[in-house]
Amino acid sequence: MDNEKLVYGEATNTKVETDYNADEIQVLEGLEAVRKRPGMYIGSTGPRGLHHLVYEIVDNSIDEALAGYCTKITVSILPGNIIKVEDNGRGIPVGINAKTGLPAVTVVFTVLHAGGKFGGGSYKVSGGLHGVGASVVNALSEWLEVKVCDGEYEYTQRFERGHECYKLKKGEKTSERGTTVLFKADSEIFQETDVYEYDILKTRLREQSFLNAGIHIELRDERDSENVIVNNFHYEGGIRSYVEHLNKRSNPIHPDVIYLAASNAEDTAAVEIAMQYTDSYRELMLSFANNINTVDGGTHVEGFKRSLTRVMNDYARKFNKLKENDENLSGEDIREGLCVVISVKVKEAEFEGQTKTKLGNTEVRGMVDKLVSDKLMTFLEENPGVAKTIFEKALASQRAREAARKARESVRRKSALESAKLPGKLADCQSKDTSITEIYIVEGDSAGGSAKGGRDRRYQAILPLWGKMLNVEKARADKVYGNDKLMPVITALGCGIGDQFDITKLRYNKVIIMADADVDGQHIRTLLLTFFFRYMRPLIEEGHIYIAQPPLYRITHKKEHKYAYSDMERDQILAEIEGKSDIQRYKGLGEMDSEQLWETTMNPETRIMLRVELHDAVEADETFSILMGDSVEPRREFIEQNAKYVQNLDI
Ligand code: TSJ
């Protein structure tokens, strides 16, 4: 290995010494800092941070795969939420590092930021906001064990909370190669939870196998020995398979995924693009740089958008799809229904922005642009049928966008003429202080009536909704403007939708959906959430959307009322009561009078509300397409699988 490249711990400024004890002191100072402020290194000590530990370790094996030396990675969740990561790479080097006098593998686990600084030569996953390395995982683990096989011997070492339990131990002879790491997250640090969620790891590992074509990744859940769960991910098609996966619940409008790839002459950067159009009205673009999801885009995304728009318009002019007087197609029109994955790998990736999820390398913009210009134009010329389908879709989008603009303007004109802009059905609150105001969006006129009677009118507004709500998942934007069910919601909230959305104009701090606890109520909740997700997403992201929880039962005992919000609570209350009591099951909000509704569902002192949170926009995107889109079978499957989570409103 290349010792020269090893950078010594960055946490302290102590002069580098060869004296072993001094080194160890410095090492521990570094790792103590991680334990003192874990959030600085892994973002949070909640579930996200916990899962991040696994990614940190797995990324090292993926780096080894990118270097061309590892083909298989196995990740297991063992009983007690112990994580095991195994690969068949070369094994972390065990040779003594000149600067520290320690075996390289020990350095990897005890010196901050030591990982990835030696070896070199290939693309590295490590980067992004929390590309922090194995020593951070070690510092935050109750214990960690590593086993390295280098084709000659087996080596092992154990650490507890970052401290070596013993020096690297040389064991049996072996002809095998590879690295195994076992660790237990420290529950002193991860106080909220130390339980891994299989599906979170599954999504991430599947994504990583799409991004690294050919790699084998196995995920195992062995926590319940009678029910071991195993998933194997292996995609020879790489990001082509990713696009197929993303589109498996949609209707593609051309048969094959379009795939474009190139690398530069110096071989310091490689770009891959996979794309396919569906009949949907949305665009789904995922971008990655060195396998890190660049949620804020960057130069690769800019290059792609710019060149896609140019190439499509050039082609349209060349083949007379657009006449001389026709306007150019806009980028949005061209991307309607497009599902695209862009993956770039660069030797020296620069990540920008607060969360370091935006690619900054300027050379990438031109590279992507050139790739699309050269290869996509050729593709369109060679596949005129596909080209025609795509253009017809873009033209339809252009017409709809024009119609939406007209609809929007007519709505604006109308509201400018009317003196009272707010919807007639809205019972507004008195306060204009938008930090305390609330709006209840209530299903049905009778419940709306009770809510109006029961509310605290100083800060609570009521907007009743009735009739069939538009499913925005199946409609273009022009249908949303002027829709008689959605317009009252839009005007009452005051912040517009889509590109015109402006959260500073939001008229209420809390937007509360209040509907019956039955199937119809569930339907209206889902339709409204879909609408907020597609057209007012920041409302969800910034935590303004809530679901009211009306009680399911009223238990009357000796003229006193108690309310139960679940069957379990009902049973608890009944167990405490002696003798006979009267149980009323509420079928709908309409059965409650104003006073009861206030008491059980609207009084901030006593009410229960669920705040809607958005954890993963891509997953939520998929969920909404399943729930509200065309295909029936995936919806049935989804509902069956999630029926047990109905209380959990994470989307
Ligand atoms: F970082 C880690 F400890 F967390 C970790 C590293 C965990 C796991 C499960 C695997 C690995 C890992 C590291 N797998 N493979 C490697 N490879 C190297 O570290 C390596 C091997 C040989 C050479 C070389 O130049 O000969 C260079 C490197 C970086």
Side-chain angles (χ1 to χ4, degrees):
M1 65 170 268
D2 184 353
N3 287 331
E4 293 312 306
K5 284 190 191 156
L6 197 140
V7 175
Y8 205 67
E10 297 170 1
T12 64
N13 299 320
T14 320
K15 190 166 67 70
V16 172
E17 306 205 32
T18 44
D19 173 22
Y20 181 81
N21 291 325
D23 287 334
E24 178 158 81
I25 289 162
Q26 184 177 9
V27 160
L28 292 178
E29 274 174 13
L31 294 192
E32 280 313 317
V34 177
R35 289 182 61 83
K36 275 209 189 90
R37 314 188 68 184
M40 292 248 305
Y41 296 86
I42 54 162
S44 83
T45 53
R48 259 186 211 217
L50 179 76
H51 291 83
H52 190 88
L53 301 181
V54 184
Y55 312 154
E56 254 338 304
I57 297 298
V58 172
D59 282 356
N60 291 280
S61 297
I62 290 180
D63 276 345
E64 185 73 354
L66 280 174
Y69 298 101
C70 159
T71 55
K72 167 104 199 210
I73 304 169
T74 306
V75 180
S76 316
I77 318 172
L78 305 181
N81 285 286
I82 291 160
I83 294 288
K84 179 164 86 175
V85 182
E86 266 178 289
D87 74 33
N88 65 349
R90 290 167 292 180
I92 308 175
V94 294
I96 297 296
N97 167 256
K99 285 186 181 161
T100 58
L102 298 169
V105 56
T106 306
V107 174
V108 165
F109 285 100
T110 53
V111 179
L112 266 180
H113 298 116
K117 294 283 169 64
F118 58 97
S122 65
Y123 303 119
K124 283 275 183 276
V125 180
S126 19
L129 180 59
H130 305 302
V132 288
S135 63
V136 167
V137 179
N138 190 25
L140 302 177
S141 293
E142 188 187 312
W143 56 265
L144 179 147
E145 287 173 5
V146 57
K147 182 173 96 177
V148 169
C149 298
D150 68 354
E152 294 178 32
Y153 287 95
E154 200 180 285
Y155 298 84
T156 49
Q157 191 165 23
R158 179 182 164 99
F159 307 85
E160 289 177 6
R161 300 196 165 97
H163 300 257
E164 286 182 331
C165 295
Y166 50 83
K167 302 274 151 219
L168 186 69
K169 191 154 67 188
K170 191 170 179 177
E172 303 285 296
K173 279 201 161 186
T174 180
S175 58
E176 286 182 22
R177 301 200 70 158
T179 305
T180 305
V181 170
L182 272 156
F183 68 92
K184 170 77 187 83
D186 191 346
S187 46
E188 283 177 12
I189 305 278
F190 298 93
Q191 291 183 358
E192 196 179 320
T193 178
D194 62 354
V195 179
Y196 294 93
E197 218 174 287
Y198 188 79
D199 283 348
I200 293 182
L201 295 180
K202 181 175 157 186
T203 303
R204 167 77 180 214
L205 294 178
R206 184 169 49 207
E207 172 196 275
Q208 289 300 318
S209 32
F210 283 132
L211 291 169
N212 300 284
I215 199 170
H216 292 259
I217 303 184
E218 180 167 322
L219 174 62
R220 308 174 60 86
D221 190 343
E222 303 187 2
R223 284 174 292 192
D224 175 359
S225 62
E226 307 207 328
N227 180 26
V228 173
I229 305 166
V230 183
N231 273 104
N232 274 286
F233 303 114
H234 172 236
Y235 302 103
E236 286 297 343
I239 61 169
R240 267 161 295 196
S241 312
Y242 203 169
V243 170
E244 282 165 10
H245 170 79
L246 292 166
N247 280 348
K248 72 170 185 267
R249 308 185 199 279
S250 317
N251 308 312
I253 57 174
H254 55 94
D256 297 317
V257 173
I258 304 168
Y259 177 76
L260 317 166
S263 50
N264 65 358
E266 307 82 44
D267 225 19
T268 54
V271 181
E272 281 183 288
I273 298 168
M275 55 193 267
Q276 187 179 39
Y277 283 87
T278 72
D279 67 358
S280 134
Y281 302 133
R282 287 176 286 105
E283 98 179 51
L284 177 56
M285 184 181 300
L286 298 184
S287 66
F288 299 86
N290 293 5
N291 295 338
I292 292 160
N293 187 191
T294 39
V295 285
D296 293 319
T299 50
H300 50 342
V301 171
E302 288 158 19
F304 174 75
K305 286 186 175 175
R306 186 174 72 181
S307 54
L308 180 72
T309 308
R310 196 187 54 239
V311 165
M312 292 289 197
N313 276 298
D314 284 355
Y315 179 90
R317 297 285 169 197
K318 188 167 167 188
F319 292 93
N320 252 333
K321 308 245 178 215
L322 286 174
K323 304 285 177 317
E324 221 178 288
N325 292 328
D326 291 345
E327 255 188 62
N328 260 5
L329 295 165
S330 72
E332 283 86 31
D333 293 333
I334 288 168
R335 294 193 302 275
E336 186 188 275
L338 176 64
C339 172
V340 56
V341 175
I342 305 170
S343 170
V344 304
K345 298 203 172 114
V346 265
K347 276 238 167 91
E348 309 267 332
E350 297 154 25
F351 292 97
E352 300 176 342
Q354 206 169 22
T355 50
K356 299 276 180 253
T357 48
K358 184 173 181 187
L359 184 68
N361 300 56
T362 49
E363 74 277 13
V364 173
R365 194 184 291 118
M367 252 187 91
V368 177
D369 192 323
K370 185 169 183 320
L371 169 64
V372 175
S373 301
D374 293 353
K375 302 232 174 115
L376 187 63
M377 189 55 117
T378 314
F379 175 88
L380 295 174
E381 291 184 1
E382 288 173 0
N383 298 273
V386 176
K388 182 161 181 279
T389 310
I390 296 174
F391 278 104
E392 275 163 12
K393 170 104 174 136
L395 283 170
S397 164
Q398 192 183 39
R399 283 191 293 270
R401 204 172 299 279
E402 183 58 20
R405 193 181 59 77
K406 289 195 176 129
R408 196 161 60 222
E409 275 175 7
S410 103
V411 167
R412 236 189 242 138
R413 262 198 307 279
K414 238 181 5 203
S415 51
L417 292 175
E418 289 163 10
S419 52
K421 279 189 195 174
L422 292 170
K425 289 257 178 190
L426 175 74
D428 209 0
C429 53
Q430 290 159 346
S431 174
K432 298 277 171 268
D433 177 354
T434 57
S435 67
I436 59 160
T437 52
E438 303 178 346
I439 182 169
Y440 278 82
I441 300 176
V442 186
E443 176 201 17
D445 271 340
S446 72
S450 301
K452 278 181 197 175
R455 68 181 171 143
D456 185 335
R457 65 175 60 238
R458 285 173 301 178
Y459 62 92
Q460 289 180 325
I462 308 294
L463 180 67
L465 292 181
W466 69 103
K468 200 167 171 288
M469 168 80 59
L470 178 74
N471 180 357
V472 298
E473 202 63 24
K474 291 186 189 164
R476 275 202 177 102
D478 55 319
K479 293 283 181 294
V480 171
Y481 289 105
N483 178 272
D484 60 341
K485 304 294 181 293
L486 290 173
M487 276 318 287
V489 178
I490 298 169
T491 39
L493 298 192
C495 47
I497 58 172
D499 351 330
Q500 265 84 36
F501 181 85
D502 179 359
I503 200 153
T504 63
K505 299 224 169 80
L506 180 64
R507 300 181 60 248
Y508 308 95
N509 180 39
K510 293 193 170 75
V511 177
I512 304 157
I513 303 172
M514 184 157 76
D516 290 342
D518 60 7
V519 189
D520 290 342
Q522 185 53 48
H523 196 217
I524 196 152
R525 269 191 292 277
T526 314
L527 287 167
L528 273 171
L529 285 177
T530 310
F531 169 64
F532 289 135
F533 180 72
R534 294 291 177 213
Y535 288 91
M536 302 186 175
R537 192 170 306 180
L539 287 190
I540 303 181
E541 286 166 343
E542 296 181 24
H544 291 287
I545 307 285
Y546 294 81
I547 311 282
Q549 294 290 94
L552 295 178
Y553 302 97
R554 185 179 72 177
I555 298 145
T556 311
H557 180 64
K558 293 187 182 151
K559 300 229 169 92
E560 206 192 309
H561 302 312
K562 286 197 166 136
Y563 298 95
Y565 294 82
S566 65
D567 289 359
M568 206 165 78
E569 209 177 338
R570 174 202 58 192
D571 296 342
Q572 267 170 6
I573 294 172
L574 288 177
E576 286 164 17
I577 292 175
E578 287 165 37
K580 227 169 146 213
S581 55
D582 172 50
I583 306 175
Q584 182 191 355
R585 189 182 197 327
Y586 286 120
K587 288 192 205 72
L589 295 163
E591 292 176 29
M592 275 183 263
D593 62 25
S594 296
E595 207 177 310
Q596 288 171 346
L597 199 57
W598 164 257
E599 199 181 322
T600 60
T601 317
M602 297 176 71
N603 179 359
E605 304 283 317
T606 50
R607 71 186 173 193
I608 297 175
M609 299 202 299
L610 299 180
R611 178 189 253 168
V612 179
E613 289 178 3
L614 184 65
H615 290 308
D616 182 333
V618 175
E619 215 170 293
D621 192 287
E622 194 176 303
T623 306
F624 280 118
S625 340
I626 297 172
L627 284 175
M628 309 312 286
D630 286 321
S631 332
V632 177
E633 183 53 23
R635 174 159 53 235
R636 196 181 60 78
E637 244 174 62
F638 179 88
I639 292 171
E640 279 176 9
Q641 286 171 9
N642 290 279
K644 55 182 193 285
Y645 301 127
V646 281
Q647 281 295 335
N648 179 348
L649 269 157
D650 288 357
I651 51 175

